[in-house]
Amino acid sequence: QVQLAESGGGLVQPGGSLRLSCVASGDTFRGYIVGWFRQAPGKEREFVGEVWRAGAITHYADSVKGRATISRDNVQKTVILQMNRLKPEDTAVYYCAASHVGGNRAGAYEYWGQGTQVTVSS
């Protein structure tokens, strides 16, 4: 019932910033918690952060805490992941996903976008 599409990835230097967008379609978007995950080649998908339904509550993985900010606009049906002070270890494909329960486990999320590549390199 929800389709998601990420954009905004690219190549940035260490210390730089990126703003990733997740655009949703569907009438039930407001009822979903939206999470961001990332996956590097050969690695398991890992949790980045989540934003709850009204946008007032967020949680972040320790690896990005203080550098990442997630926000949402339920009228425009968009979720933003702003990442600052990027590090080479942030290099991965970034996905947004929708869940009725949320949390840091990928299996809890029902709908996924196609992903957008983030590469942090000098």
Side-chain angles (χ1 to χ4, degrees):
Q1 294 184 5
V2 176
Q3 295 190 58
L4 306 170
E6 306 92 337
S7 63
L11 174 65
V12 296
Q13 295 194 103
S17 298
L18 278 177
R19 182 180 183 270
L20 306 183
S21 298
C22 174
V23 179
S25 62
D27 296 334
T28 60
F29 173 74
R30 187 173 299 183
Y32 287 90
I33 294 170
V34 175
W36 284 92
F37 291 78
R38 64 187 184 185
Q39 188 167 24
K43 306 295 194 302
E44 292 188 350
R45 192 163 298 187
E46 68 172 348
F47 175 77
V48 176
E50 66 176 346
V51 58
W52 287 14
R53 297 169 182 85
I57 298 173
T58 56
H59 301 105
Y60 302 96
D62 289 341
S63 58
V64 302
K65 195 170 299 180
R67 301 187 297 119
T69 302
I70 300 174
S71 58
R72 70 187 291 169
D73 184 332
N74 288 332
V75 176
Q76 297 187 2
K77 297 182 180 180
T78 59
V79 179
I80 303 298
L81 171 61
Q82 174 71 42
M83 293 198 66
N84 303 319
R85 308 197 313 278
L86 285 160
K87 306 174 181 180
E89 51 262 46
D90 294 319
T91 296
V93 177
Y94 283 70
Y95 301 88
C96 63
S99 172
H100 281 300
V101 295
N104 63 1
R105 298 178 179 179
Y109 291 78
E110 303 165 70
Y111 301 98
W112 293 80
Q114 83 288 349
T116 184
Q117 176 71 50
V118 172
T119 302
V120 184
S121 179
S122 299

